[in-house]
Amino acid sequence: MKFYRLFAVSIVMIVGFGAKAQDSTSTGIWPKLGKNDTIRVAATNDGGYMIPWIGLKEVVILGNRIWKSPQEQAMYNRLRYNVLKVMPYALFAKRRYEKLERDLAVVADKKEQKRLVKECDNEIKKMFNTEIKELTITQGQILTKLIDREVGRTTYDIVKQTKGKFAAFSYQLVARVVGHNLKNTYNVQEDRDIESIIRSSGYYQ
């Protein structure tokens, strides 16, 4: 009999707790949790109701491309090789010029500004003399496009801003001789194959 009474009391307690929980959730009041039981997320107030939400990363879905011919696939593979070859240089230029702009923003002394520009120019030249000079004409053309994509300005504009109009003009003349164009711009629509390669390369994951 004692066991039966204990069992009955347990049932009453369980039922009572369940009713209380249902009542609390219906009014939007959640049971109190411990300090280590709460997951903090952002929330939006919608007519008095707090709606929790979590921001998700962009998901890019790429379909399997159907090639018209083996030659077309070979051309795409070659483009992919060239893009991945020069992409690190474009990212280096982006980081370096962003650093230069941050440094120039906090320095008022003209002499110090010239020193910072020269230092940046020397780093770019060092990379050019050791690695970029070995690029093919096609790779160089892709690089100028990617610099515009990453920095938001053409290579010509960057040289013009840091070294002046005459230097930019001189660099452009030399570039044109070897088949490059420092004024190349990047267009997502026109360069959609390059954009697709970059998106699927893992650089922005």
Side-chain angles (χ1 to χ4, degrees):
M1 182 63 68
K2 291 183 179 180
F3 175 80
Y4 174 79
R5 290 179 179 176
L6 181 61
F7 178 76
V9 171
S10 301
I11 292 297
V12 171
M13 292 177 63
I14 293 173
V15 171
F17 177 79
K20 183 178 180 181
Q22 289 180 358
D23 180 67
S24 64
T25 55
S26 63
T27 58
I29 302 174
W30 294 92
K32 186 176 180 180
L33 301 175
K35 63 178 181 179
N36 297 323
D37 296 331
T38 301
I39 300 176
R40 295 185 178 275
V41 298
T44 300
N45 190 330
D46 183 11
Y49 292 93
M50 297 302 296
I51 303 175
W53 56 271
I54 299 176
L56 301 177
K57 293 183 178 180
E58 178 184 8
V59 177
V60 179
I61 301 176
L62 302 174
N64 292 327
R65 185 165 180 172
I66 299 176
W67 306 104
K68 296 180 181 179
S69 65
Q71 291 76 16
E72 183 184 48
Q73 184 175 6
M75 290 178 60
Y76 180 85
N77 291 339
R78 185 63 183 174
L79 176 64
R80 178 179 175 80
Y81 171 82
N82 288 332
V83 171
L84 297 183
K85 173 77 173 179
V86 302
M87 189 64 185
Y89 303 134
L91 293 176
F92 173 83
K94 175 184 179 180
R95 292 191 296 267
R96 190 58 187 87
Y97 281 113
E98 284 179 345
K99 181 179 184 303
L100 175 62
E101 289 182 343
R102 290 195 301 269
D103 292 341
L104 293 177
V106 297
V107 174
D109 183 66
K110 297 295 183 181
K111 185 176 181 180
E112 179 64 13
Q113 288 181 348
K114 289 183 178 180
R115 187 192 69 79
L116 292 172
V117 171
K118 185 177 181 179
E119 181 182 16
C120 178
D121 192 45
N122 288 337
E123 288 186 26
I124 298 295
K125 283 182 178 179
K126 181 179 179 181
M127 182 179 66
F128 180 88
N129 291 329
T130 57
E131 299 183 52
I132 294 181
K133 69 177 182 178
E134 303 297 332
L135 298 180
T136 65
I137 292 177
T138 300
Q139 291 170 349
Q141 292 171 342
I142 294 174
L143 177 59
T144 56
K145 284 178 173 287
L146 293 184
I147 288 178
D148 181 54
R149 180 187 188 275
E150 297 300 321
V151 182
R153 289 172 294 167
T154 65
T155 307
Y156 181 87
D157 290 334
I158 294 174
V159 176
K160 181 179 177 181
Q161 180 182 4
T162 57
K163 302 291 289 182
K165 293 182 179 180
F166 181 77
F169 178 75
S170 301
Y171 283 21
Q172 174 71 341
L173 286 179
V174 175
R176 296 298 286 175
V177 170
V178 295
H180 300 303
N181 182 5
L182 303 184
K183 295 182 180 181
N184 275 342
T185 58
Y186 188 83
N187 184 292
V188 176
Q189 296 301 322
E190 295 177 1
D191 301 306
R192 56 183 177 274
D193 281 345
I194 295 178
E195 186 69 19
S196 174
I197 292 169
I198 294 173
R199 291 285 182 176
S200 62
S201 65
Y203 279 109
Y204 295 97
Q205 292 181 357

